[in-house]
Amino acid sequence: MITSVLVANRGEIACRIFRTCRELGIRTVAVHSDPDEDALHTRVADAAVRLPGAAPAETYLRGDLVVKAALAAGADAVHPGYGFLSENADFARAVTDAGLVWIGPPPQAIEAMASKTRAKELLGIEPLKDVTEADLPVLVKAAAGGGGRGMRIVRRLEELDAALEGARAEAESAFGDGEVFVEPYVERARHVEVQILADAHGTVWALGTRDCSLQRRHQKVIEEAPAPGLPAALERELHALAVRAARAVSYVGAGTVEFLVADGRAHFLEMNTRLQVEHPVTEEVFGLDLVAEQIRIAEGRPLAGDPPRPQGHAVEARLYAEDPASGWAPQTGTLHRLAVPGGVRLDTGYGDGDTIGVHYDPMLAKVVAHAPSRAEALRKLAGALERAVVHGPVTNRELLVRSLRHEEFISARMDTGFYDRHLDGLTVPAPDPYAPLAAALADAHGRSRFGGWRNVPSQPQVKRYAMAGEEHEVRYRHTRHGFDAVDPAGVRVVRAGADLVVLEVDGVRRRYEVARHGTDVYVNGDRLTLLPRFPEAVVQHAPGSLLAPMPGTVVRVADGLVPGARVRAGEPIVWLEAMKMQHVISAPVAGVLTELPVTPGRQVTVGTLLAVVQESPAAGSPAAGPSASGPSVSEPSGDEPSASDPSGADSSTSDSSASGGPVSGFSPAGPSASDPSAGG
């Protein structure tokens, strides 16, 4: 019997595994990098061991250090979570060689399926070798890992070399393996997968289907079970193919077989030999705890007969600290408050007051709703997210709510290109026009020590806020009865407290819950920033300045580029790494590079000057793209989030999702499709 488990991971998935271990009476051990010293997963574990350093390559990807940590802490088993080392056969062997129980599939099964190239070879599918114009578009994809990292879509032949180089570097950084391959990229497909659970006694369960078609940057955003609208015959085929794949490698444990479904056909993508980020939707529908089943299987116990019957429908949304309207740019800072209404499941690796840093995946939480029908589950999840309290960096919360209520998604007509088609409409700002007034009144109440009423009428009080990219000015007066709104007019102040304001507009009362953290004010779901009474001096940058769009580390500067060099529009200049992905900063116009103040290894914050490109008419016409206020940033690839990290997006670490767009994959019997999942 297992008595103590070390989780070789971090964030959400580590916390989720610890929860099951506590329920089973098993002691827990965490490992942590230096930035994670006070992370939630280290706080909830019974013991924690430091992995010196910050980058995944020197911490969570160091299998030797993880094994030493397990032995030092007295653990007798290791659970890899998803991402990081979860699909590393050498790590699995190192765990068992050290006398520890490996809560995962046999190393030989990992080797057979964890590498996407080898998995396809098992099924007779060959990657593209010599790509021609006729093969385009294609997908460059990392052979190891997932989470969309190490993936690039190529639509022009001249972009292939750069895509290969970028994918190799990103894959090496995230997974310690720079092998990549190329496969056809198919548009308008659905991403469907089958959860597998197998014991060491020959029993294999196929636990329904999941649809993970809503993706961005090859990372899944919303997942559900069962996959809606699949013909019964196709569902049976998917189950049979998944079981066959598992039996082909004598699989033991939990795993997922992923497919693209297009034109009524199933195209094999890959088998993920680990738990997926989206496993909770299967748990909710089947009434199972997959982590508990993994532990029982690792102890040698058999699965109990037939799998349970599915009940109802479950939907999961991944809440990210990112700005979908700004190229999905990851956000950092303090998460002041995260609270989700009851009735839904919340899996998270963060607590109130925790810091969202630059080293790992920006997924804050997974919110899961289960209901008797799909329509009820969608409505339940959208409502819970809408009422959730999320105070901190910008998140994708509003995008999730709108996606769940989008007609195409409600009618189950979505595919992996959903966000390519609908992102602009889903990210149009729609702030509450009365939120600034509520913020001002709450602030006035909190600051008014002796009351602000005066017997002689005076000028109204004025406050200015920034909200949704615009400036809002509100005016109000203190009266003997409380507050009166001056602008906006026609509003009656029913109540004004420090944290609750009630306004009546056109006869309808509206409640506004207000919280303030420094100059940031949160009013219901809107975030506002209090502006100073007198504008502050603004730092001026030269025209053509390329500023860091996010905090991160400069990992590369283009070879041979020095001040005075001529650059083409769109030419890469600086590579930033943030939250497990690389972002390319390119020249917005053709011209002369006049400044290049950064070097590899430098940590930068948002707005740091990276380079200056002075436009030169003789060098060519300017390309569409931002300049001083926004460098051209290439969209990175990423797959499942790990609760945190490169571990995998499924780690959330290795799941795949797409920024909307096709995915690549292949049918064992026929054409190739494309695979958006970088892991699940």
Side-chain angles (χ1 to χ4, degrees), residues 30-43:
V31 289
H32 67 86
S33 64
D34 289 339
D36 277 342
E37 181 178 10
D38 195 39
L40 183 61
H41 77 279
T42 68
R43 303 199 301 266

Side-chain angles (χ1 to χ4, degrees), residues 48 136 151 336 489 553 593 678:
L136 299 176
M151 294 178 71
H336 301 290
T553 303
L593 180 70

Side-chain angles (χ1 to χ4, degrees), residues 419-446:
Y419 287 122
D420 278 348
R421 298 189 296 274
H422 303 300
L423 183 62
D424 289 345
L426 292 169
T427 55
V428 173
D432 189 314
Y434 303 105
L437 175 60
L441 296 177
D443 183 63
H445 180 278

Side-chain angles (χ1 to χ4, degrees), residues 139-203:
L139 183 70
V140 177
K141 189 172 181 181
R149 284 172 292 284
M151 294 178 71
R152 299 289 190 278
I153 298 171
V154 177
R155 297 184 182 278
R156 295 189 302 172
L157 205 56
E158 58 268 29
E159 299 172 349
L160 181 60
D161 288 344
L164 289 167
E165 183 179 0
R168 288 190 188 103
E170 193 169 85
E172 180 67 38
S173 174
F175 315 118
D177 183 346
E179 181 188 354
V180 298
F181 63 97
V182 180
E183 62 186 17
Y185 183 66
V186 176
E187 316 278 346
R188 302 299 293 263
R190 285 177 62 182
H191 182 143
V192 178
E193 59 193 29
V194 177
Q195 175 72 55
I196 288 296
L197 198 61
D199 63 22
H201 306 277
T203 299

